[in-house]
Amino acid sequence: MVSRKAIENAAKFIRDGNVVAFPTETVYGLGANALNPLAVARVFEAKERPSFDPLIVHIADSETIKVLSNTDDDRVKKLAEKFWPGPLTIVLPKSEIVSDLVTSGLPTVGIRMPDNDIALALIRAAACPIAAPSANKFGRLSPTSADHVRKQLPDIPCILNGGPTKVGIESTVIRLHDDGFEILRHGSITEAELETVLPVSAKGGKDQTNLPSPGLLKSHYSPEKPIYLLHDVPHDLNISEAALLSFSGQNTEGYKIVRYLSHDADLKEAAVNLFDMLHELEEANVSCIVAEPVPEEGIGSAIMDKLRKAAFRYV
Ligand code: TXA
Ligand code: MG
């Protein structure tokens, strides 16, 4: 879908200190050379992202961990072998070479190897690690297609169009303690999958005051319309003007529009559809979006995390 020439062209943008939007398996990223602070500043500017919010650095080769981090933790190798390329971001102590702009002044850096051939080819062609947040305006819906990127960031000159993303929600972000891992942001790799490699740390949840991380902000991923979780819908809401985002397929009568996250209660399918359907409904001629909660198991925890943050202002 994307030609070699398009990748070379995008890689030149990166090498020249410009930003490029590109697909990953989770969502589209807005990338810049992670080792060029000026280029990284352009990412923050384009997204209108506050500088307290650190970026994930994308690599194409596990050896690059050594460039970005001074860690010699064997557990990182184990995690990388099992989950990379894939939607797991590991927060590690950063090396000198990683600028404070990337990490928002934290002594740590989030690293992941995306499971997407276009992303990997771009990183290799640019010959540098690529710092990339999701390619949306800060706080808004994440993009799972090139059209979503264009809608929010029309001024980005270089967008690699790899079609719709296959996972649909962001990577799981973890950090390591001496007794195991802690999830900082729920994502497409579940706690149970991680536990096949490492135990959950008993130290999780502490020391978060020093951890500015919008994955932890209460409001995020917001569509341009009010969005309510089903049990928080105002009593006087006229549902004939509202859209329903359904998971169970039940009690769908009376809404103006109904979209089904999955047709057979499959949470992975729901994750793939989540942002795409929210993008569609925020543009639809409805007064608001009503979202039915999904079961909080497996990837359902990440879906509910996004829905709660999207609906936070409307509780
Ligand atoms: O799937 C993904 O992770 C996508 C694709 C593009 O890779 N990226 C993404 O980036 O979701 P972004 O910027 O929307 O979210 C990155 C989040 C930060 O908001 C923060 O919660 C966490 O990753 N993060 C990054 N570096 C961190 C660090 N050093 N310490 C703690 N959290 C960090
Ligand atoms: Mg984001």
Side-chain angles (χ1 to χ4, degrees), residues 10 96 115 189 217 228 239 243 257-258 282 286-287 297 309:
E96 278 290 298
D115 184 16
I189 290 184
L217 285 184
Y228 303 99
I239 64 166
I257 302 180
V258 181
E282 81 170 357
V286 290
S287 61
E297 57 201 40
K309 284 177 175 148

Side-chain angles (χ1 to χ4, degrees), residues 22 24 26-30 47 49 53-56 58 87 89 91-92 102-103 106 108-110 112 132-136 169-173 184-185 211-216 220:
F22 64 98
T24 78
T26 59
V27 301
Y28 275 69
L30 186 66
K47 278 194 61 135
R49 181 176 175 113
D53 188 358
L55 307 186
I56 292 170
H58 298 70
T89 298
V91 171
L92 296 172
V102 171
T103 68
L106 293 172
T108 54
V109 58
R112 87 176 188 99
S134 50
N136 51 275
I169 55 172
E170 287 88 344
S171 64
T172 304
V173 180
L184 297 178
R185 178 179 72 176
L211 206 102
S213 188
L216 306 174
H220 208 68

Side-chain angles (χ1 to χ4, degrees), residues 175-245:
R175 66 171 165 179
L176 299 177
H177 297 284
D178 48 16
D179 63 341
F181 72 88
E182 173 190 3
I183 293 185
L184 297 178
R185 178 179 72 176
H186 283 284
S188 37
I189 290 184
T190 62
E191 186 171 89
E193 287 173 298
L194 289 162
E195 279 186 287
T196 63
V197 177
L198 281 185
V200 179
S201 169
K203 297 181 180 163
K206 301 191 182 102
D207 176 35
Q208 293 202 344
T209 39
N210 291 323
L211 206 102
S213 188
L216 306 174
L217 285 184
K218 289 205 168 93
S219 173
H220 208 68
Y221 313 108
S222 303
E224 287 199 303
K225 289 216 162 68
I227 173 166
Y228 303 99
L229 287 170
L230 191 54
H231 46 81
D232 288 327
V233 165
H235 295 300
D236 55 353
L237 182 77
N238 177 4
I239 64 166
S240 70
E241 293 301 318
L244 175 68
L245 192 61

Side-chain angles (χ1 to χ4, degrees), residues 29-313:
L30 186 66
N33 179 351
L35 307 181
N36 176 347
L38 215 64
V40 172
R42 294 204 167 104
V43 172
F44 281 89
E45 194 179 32
K47 278 194 61 135
E48 296 167 22
R49 181 176 175 113
S51 59
F52 63 72
D53 188 358
L55 307 186
I56 292 170
V57 179
H58 298 70
I59 62 176
D61 175 340
S62 291
E63 289 297 298
T64 312
I65 296 175
K66 293 194 192 112
V67 178
L68 302 171
S69 173
N70 316 315
T71 183
D72 54 0
D73 191 330
D74 280 342
R75 299 174 300 171
V76 176
K77 209 174 147 211
K78 275 199 197 153
L79 288 165
E81 271 167 15
K82 169 94 186 187
F83 296 108
W84 284 359
L88 178 69
T89 298
I90 311 173
V91 171
L92 296 172
K94 81 172 192 76
S95 69
E96 278 290 298
I97 202 172
V98 181
S99 87
D100 283 343
L101 201 53
V102 171
T103 68
S104 301
L106 293 172
T108 54
V109 58
I111 306 176
R112 87 176 188 99
M113 189 191 296
D115 184 16
N116 178 289
D117 289 342
I118 298 168
L120 293 172
L122 175 67
I123 298 163
R124 291 198 184 104
C128 60
I130 295 184
S134 50
N136 51 275
K137 290 269 189 202
F138 182 71
R140 298 273 315 280
L141 292 176
S142 306
T144 57
S145 74
D147 278 348
H148 296 162
V149 179
R150 266 182 226 113
K151 183 168 101 178
Q152 289 189 31
L153 301 170
D155 298 332
I156 299 301
C158 183
I159 301 177
L160 290 172
N161 185 348
T165 60
K166 69 179 183 194
V167 173
I169 55 172
E170 287 88 344
S171 64
T172 304
V173 180
I174 62 166
R175 66 171 165 179
L176 299 177
H177 297 284
D178 48 16
D179 63 341
F181 72 88
E182 173 190 3
I183 293 185
L184 297 178
R185 178 179 72 176
H186 283 284
S188 37
I189 290 184
T190 62
E191 186 171 89
E193 287 173 298
L194 289 162
E195 279 186 287
T196 63
V197 177
L198 281 185
V200 179
S201 169
K203 297 181 180 163
K206 301 191 182 102
D207 176 35
Q208 293 202 344
T209 39
N210 291 323
L211 206 102
S213 188
L216 306 174
L217 285 184
K218 289 205 168 93
S219 173
H220 208 68
Y221 313 108
S222 303
E224 287 199 303
K225 289 216 162 68
I227 173 166
Y228 303 99
L229 287 170
L230 191 54
H231 46 81
D232 288 327
V233 165
H235 295 300
D236 55 353
L237 182 77
N238 177 4
I239 64 166
S240 70
E241 293 301 318
L244 175 68
L245 192 61
S246 171
F247 181 72
S248 70
Q250 288 163 10
N251 303 321
T252 58
E253 300 80 29
Y255 290 91
K256 187 168 185 184
I257 302 180
V258 181
R259 288 290 173 270
Y260 298 91
L261 281 173
S262 166
H263 284 282
D264 53 2
D266 177 346
L267 286 166
K268 284 210 166 113
E269 187 191 348
V272 171
N273 288 329
L274 178 70
F275 284 121
D276 191 48
M277 289 181 176
L278 287 173
H279 274 282
E280 181 201 343
L281 294 177
E282 81 170 357
E283 287 177 70
N285 185 18
V286 290
S287 61
C288 66
I289 304 166
V290 176
E292 182 188 6
V294 308
E296 291 199 60
E297 57 201 40
I299 201 170
S301 306
I303 296 174
M304 279 311 294
D305 189 50
K306 315 274 165 204
L307 284 176
R308 279 199 192 95
K309 284 177 175 148
F312 178 69
R313 287 179 286 160

